[in-house]
Structure formats: C-alpha cells, structure tokens
Amino acid sequence: MKNSEILKQIITSRRSIFPKEYSEIPIPKEILDEILNSAVLAPNHKRTKPWRFKIFENNEKLELGKELQQIYKKITPEFQFLQKKYDDILFKAEKAGAIITIVVEFSELVPEWEEIAATAMAVQNMYLTCTAHQIGCYWSSPKLVNYLEKAVQIQENQQCLGLFYMGQL
C-alpha cells in the first residue's frame, strides 16, 4: 500500500472515541511517547513550539478527575448541578488510560491565533497517531479547564485549551 493510501485511511478513520469505549488495558509507554513525539512535529511560526502537554496516568488522572469534580461543584449553581455530570467527570478519568492537558503558551512573537492553531495541529497529530495505534481518544474542552491553574501550573502567558482523553480499545 502506498504511503498516500495509508495516510488517507488513517485520516478518514480518525474519530473521537469516548472513555466508555475504552478497555482497562494500559497504553504502553512507547506508544504514549510516540503520540507526544508526533505532536511536537506540528508546524509553528518562528519555531515557538507553543504547546505544553502534561500526561496524567494512574493516580494522577484520578486526582485530576476529583479536582475537576470539585471545580464543577464550586462553579455550578445549585439549580444547574447535575449529579450524573458530576459522576461522569470521575468515570471518564477512571476509564481513560491517560489524560493529557492541552495548554498553549503565548510567546508574543506571533499572533495568538497562530499559536492556538499550531497547538491544534499538534493535537491533530496526536489524534492521527492514536488512530494508527487503535487508541481511542478525544479532545474535551469543558469550561472547567479554565480553573485548572494549580493542577496544570498554568502561567500568565498560557491558556488551557482542553483535555485529551485516551484509552485502549
């Protein structure tokens, strides 16, 4: 099969696959490394490499899930609070083999939109690498990520764009 055909097959089969579909099998470290290495190959103007990723596995991802639950409880008015949504936050963290925080760092060397676009391209590379390895994944961008300064150690010139959930199928 030609490279272009393989690439087309990977692109056309890329899907967002949610944690309820993930198995309990851990993602091998070599595959996680390959996913991140493919991300940093994304094009970026003036080589700013604006993406910042942090992997949460095992107990760390559970702690992240619990922190997201606390944030949800804190910022959601009582009349809008949904127990199912609250429970789903931790369920997704438990089912995921890994969660990667997606953060953009603004360099002031190029317009902010270019650094957001470069970060999104890095995430697309992660999606495609996951697809090639039959790893389920999706990019979640709930408003809760705007409150993750402590867990992700967000700096003033950074913004969390979401969470990238991954799991073996």
Side-chain angles (χ1 to χ4, degrees):
M1 189 180 281
K2 294 191 303 189
N3 286 345
S4 61
E5 292 169 353
I6 295 168
L7 179 61
K8 182 179 179 183
Q9 181 180 8
I10 292 170
I11 291 170
T12 58
S13 60
R14 190 217 52 83
R15 300 278 181 275
S16 290
I17 301 173
F18 303 100
K20 66 181 180 181
E21 304 294 326
Y22 303 165
S23 73
E24 303 299 321
I25 303 167
I27 302 169
K29 184 182 178 342
E30 309 80 57
I31 293 177
L32 282 174
D33 289 345
E34 186 179 335
I35 290 165
L36 287 176
N37 288 332
S38 70
V40 300
L41 298 174
N44 56 102
H45 191 191
K46 295 198 179 190
R47 298 184 183 150
T48 60
K49 298 183 179 179
W51 45 78
R52 300 292 178 267
F53 301 116
K54 181 176 179 182
I55 299 177
F56 291 80
E57 296 179 274
N58 305 314
N59 286 339
E60 285 184 328
K61 70 181 173 73
L62 297 177
E63 291 303 314
L64 178 63
K66 289 174 186 174
E67 183 164 345
L68 289 166
Q69 280 184 314
Q70 290 172 1
I71 293 168
Y72 174 72
K73 195 173 221 175
K74 182 178 178 180
I75 68 168
T76 305
E78 193 174 322
F79 71 94
Q80 289 181 323
F81 182 87
L82 298 172
Q83 187 65 43
K84 181 178 178 2
K85 186 170 184 174
Y86 178 85
D87 295 341
D88 281 349
I89 292 169
L90 189 58
F91 172 78
K92 289 190 287 187
E94 290 171 337
K95 286 291 285 182
I99 303 169
I100 299 178
T101 53
I102 303 165
V103 174
V104 59
E105 182 171 291
F106 301 110
S107 67
E108 298 184 7
L109 296 173
V110 299
E112 286 185 359
W113 75 264
E114 288 188 17
E115 293 183 314
I116 292 170
T119 302
M121 287 187 271
V123 174
Q124 176 70 351
N125 284 358
M126 290 170 27
Y127 258 114
L128 296 175
T129 306
C130 284
T131 301
H133 284 285
Q134 298 179 339
I135 302 289
C137 62
Y138 87 105
W139 181 349
S140 175
S141 53
K143 68 179 180 178
L144 301 177
V145 299
N146 296 326
Y147 301 90
L148 281 176
E149 298 88 10
K150 282 191 339 193
V152 184
Q153 299 174 336
I154 303 287
Q155 307 298 313
E156 273 189 45
N157 64 331
Q158 297 178 336
Q159 179 184 352
C160 186
L161 300 177
L163 305 168
F164 193 73
Y165 289 85
M166 299 180 297
Q168 291 273 23
L169 298 176

